[in-house]
Amino acid sequence: MTNTSPERRSARLALAAVAVSVVLWASAFVSIRSAGEAYSPGALALGRLLAGALVLGLFLLIRREGLPPRAAWPGILASGFLWFACYMVALNWGERQVDAGTAAMIVNIGPILMALLASRFLGEALPPRLIAGMAVSFAGAIAVGLSMSGDGHASVLGVVLCLVAAATYAAGVVLQKPALRHGSPLQVTFFSCLVGAVACLPFSGQLLSDASHAPASATLNMVYLGVFPTALAFTTWAFALARTSASRMGATTYVVPAMVVLMSWAVLDEVPAVLTLVGGAICLAGVAVSRSRPRGSGGGVTVASGATSTAGGEVTAASGAASSAEGELPGPTPGPNPGERVT
């Protein structure tokens, strides 16, 4: 593809959008830890999705975008159920069964699964630098996870739930990619969020019960999760995903563990261990490698198009590295879990 100025502008906008997503998914770590003390996993996911759907619905009405085309609905329904519903509930539940370090090491296979699925079903290439960068970042995530591990005990249920979170996050992003070729990022994100909220309606009784006893701070944190790490972050993620490959987007979520370490240090006064800082630095280095280009490429920018996604078919996954869903990487895809996750 010719390296024209509009392409470079589009790539810069996509990079800025994904930066907003990973920052907000990293911030979800603090909010999830607070809200999770008063709200059960399913209730927290439902409350977050309802708040996000309300904000996104208002913006959709203001912009008068209406319903997305019929061709976008398969991806919206699939990603809404897998990423917005299953991922959030599984990660919230899994974080109660295993320590943050174990969750980090498991959930961070999400971007790797995403790259493999995108290569298989979307026909996306896997450049050597992307593979090398993801390997480096995953090693950094393991270092962060080891440094955050508690007594080293993990339940089988917790491990399975974190695996489910990683798999649904990856599948949700890949399934959302083709939907963005037919609908706008706002349309795809709103209706995916709405699908996730409908899927979580069985937790409505639990949400009402928890809300009646929860402190105001926990409820405000739940609302924050819905407005910013969900409504805003998943929309900016979808905007970026429409303009680049799913595998490259997945690699960027490895920035989340490093950011969460710094945020926890600043906000929660949790002084990170040396291994945590080293692991965060390795994560950043891996992302830099994955986004670099060989010499002689002329600094070109690759913009995703129909030629990129030939099959036509997003936590804080990394946010799981810090007990967050977000990544939710992520999550509409969005898009870690985060809170989330912790993309």
Side-chain angles (χ1 to χ4, degrees):
M1 185 179 291
T2 305
N3 299 321
T4 61
S5 179
E7 289 171 358
R8 295 186 180 184
R9 273 200 302 273
S10 179
R12 285 196 293 267
L13 286 173
L15 185 60
V18 76
V20 172
S21 296
V22 296
V23 168
L24 290 176
W25 285 341
S27 74
F29 165 62
V30 179
S31 294
I32 286 178
R33 288 222 336 200
S34 174
E37 295 178 357
Y39 288 92
S40 61
L44 179 58
L46 176 59
R48 175 180 178 177
L49 289 168
L50 289 175
L54 178 61
V55 173
L56 289 167
L58 289 175
F59 275 102
L60 196 75
L61 290 174
I62 293 172
R63 292 179 58 86
R64 298 181 180 180
E65 293 196 14
L67 294 172
R70 183 179 300 177
W73 278 102
I76 289 174
L77 292 172
S79 65
F81 177 74
L82 290 174
W83 193 7
F84 285 75
C86 296
Y87 167 76
M88 290 188 183
V89 174
L91 186 60
N92 290 346
W93 190 2
E95 291 285 356
R96 291 191 168 197
Q97 304 294 320
V98 301
D99 57 67
T102 302
M105 290 181 284
I106 298 173
V107 174
N108 271 292
I109 69 172
I112 298 174
L113 292 175
M114 189 190 308
L116 296 175
L117 290 172
S119 176
R120 173 64 178 83
F121 296 104
L122 301 182
E124 294 183 359
L126 293 178
R129 288 183 179 236
L130 176 61
I131 297 174
M134 294 183 74
V136 172
S137 291
F138 186 62
I142 291 178
V144 172
L146 290 173
S147 68
M148 295 171 62
S149 295
D151 54 15
H153 297 292
S155 71
V156 175
L157 176 61
V159 171
V160 171
L161 288 168
C162 289
L163 284 172
V164 170
T168 52
Y169 155 63
V173 172
V174 173
L175 288 167
Q176 190 183 61
K177 172 71 175 177
L180 290 166
R181 293 182 8 217
H182 305 285
S184 71
L186 180 58
Q187 287 176 323
V188 172
T189 305
F190 166 67
F191 286 102
S192 295
C193 187
L194 192 61
V195 168
V198 171
C200 289
L201 282 179
F203 300 107
S204 56
Q206 205 167 32
L207 175 61
L208 293 174
S209 176
D210 291 347
S212 65
H213 301 93
S217 60
T219 302
L220 288 175
N221 273 291
M222 182 176 66
V223 173
Y224 169 83
L225 287 169
V227 175
F228 293 99
T230 301
L232 179 56
F234 276 87
T235 302
T236 52
W237 173 273
F239 175 87
L241 182 61
R243 289 159 175 78
T244 188
S245 67
S247 54
R248 193 173 294 277
M249 284 288 287
T252 61
T253 60
Y254 278 116
V255 173
V256 175
M259 298 190 66
V260 171
V261 169
L262 297 177
M263 289 183 179
S264 299
W265 192 355
V267 178
L268 300 178
D269 199 25
E270 295 180 347
V271 180
V274 174
L275 182 58
T276 307
L277 294 174
V278 172
I282 294 175
C283 288
L284 294 176
V287 173
V289 171
S290 69
R291 297 195 66 87
S292 66
R293 299 186 182 280
R295 292 182 180 179
S297 65
V301 176
T302 301
V303 180
S305 65
T308 304
S309 304
T310 57
E314 174 107 113
V315 201
T316 200
S319 56
S323 306
S324 133
E326 293 332 353
E328 350 181 323
L329 297 213
T333 171
N337 172 191
E340 328 176 99
R341 215 196 234 21
V342 352
T343 117

